[in-house]
Amino acid sequence: MRIAIAIDGPASSGKGTVARFVAARLGYLYVDTGTLYRGVGLRLLRAGEDPADAVAAGRRAESLRFGFDWRDSSLHVSIDGEDETQNIRGEVVGRAASAVAVHPGVRAALLQTQRDLGARGGVVMDGRDIGTVVLPKAQLKIYLDASLDERARRRHAEAPGVPLSAVRAQLAARDAQDSGRETAPLRVADDAVYVDTTGRSVEEIVSQVIALARERGA
Ligand code: DC
């Protein structure tokens, strides 16, 4: 059976890496839903609009046309026909994404795109509200976590230019915004398997998720 796997968790918990490996191992599609929020953030910043402006952000989310393409075994994202895969990365766009993600109008506008991708089955989808809101019937839900210190160390290793203490503060602020918002906050779904990745290798976590997926019929 080609099941749907939802992987949620805070920034730098290892969601993307684990989801990518699990999808590759099972021959499933990997869908990174953060790219949608990042896309809205990017286009607002480019237009000189404020991500905190609910009306501007909602309008932007409704009008953008997202395209996903799984070329060369990685996920490419286009917005209105333009490849934005590289441009949506980075902390500035990530912060804008987290800011636009608090607006209910933005979340509503992006919901159907995510559900359509999930409805294909054979998908590993990562985000903050996949198990709780987007795919409540996913056969397997994983909540990946790691201590704030460990997540800060991981992110710092990827972008050593920013001091560790600043990276830690940025992550704490992102956690507060993603978990504290009223609409679809980051939380552990009742039927999710909670996995703490602190001190564990990617390979260990991937094997655990694959084993769980097999139990659920993958
Ligand atoms: O996973 P990420 O860092 O690319 O996500 C960027 C922001 O997008 C994150 O801080 C909150 C928001 N987001 C969300 O609210 N819901 C999702 N399913 C995915 C991302």
Side-chain angles (χ1 to χ4, degrees), residues 15 32-34 37-38 89 94 97-98 101 107 114 127-130 174 178 181:
K15 297 186 305 288
D32 170 4
T33 63
Y37 295 91
R38 285 171 177 270
R89 303 321 317 171
S98 181
R107 306 202 70 85
Q114 298 173 81
R128 301 292 187 289
D129 61 339
I130 309 306
R174 186 95 85 82
D178 293 345
R181 67 180 176 228

Side-chain angles (χ1 to χ4, degrees), residues 34-51 57 60-61 64 66 77-80 82-100:
T35 58
L36 297 169
Y37 295 91
R38 285 171 177 270
V40 176
L42 172 73
R43 289 301 178 97
L44 277 171
L45 291 178
R46 261 197 211 150
E49 291 176 320
D50 182 1
R60 189 68 58 171
L64 296 180
F66 288 92
V77 182
S78 67
I79 304 175
D80 294 337
E82 197 181 326
D83 191 327
E84 299 281 21
T85 310
Q86 298 306 324
N87 302 330
I88 56 173
R89 303 321 317 171
E91 181 55 26
V92 173
V93 176
R95 222 174 298 151
S98 181
V100 302

Side-chain angles (χ1 to χ4, degrees), residues 100-120:
V100 302
V102 307
H103 306 308
V106 169
R107 306 202 70 85
L110 300 180
L111 188 56
Q112 200 54 47
T113 303
Q114 298 173 81
R115 288 201 169 144
D116 289 346
L117 287 161
R120 304 167 173 212

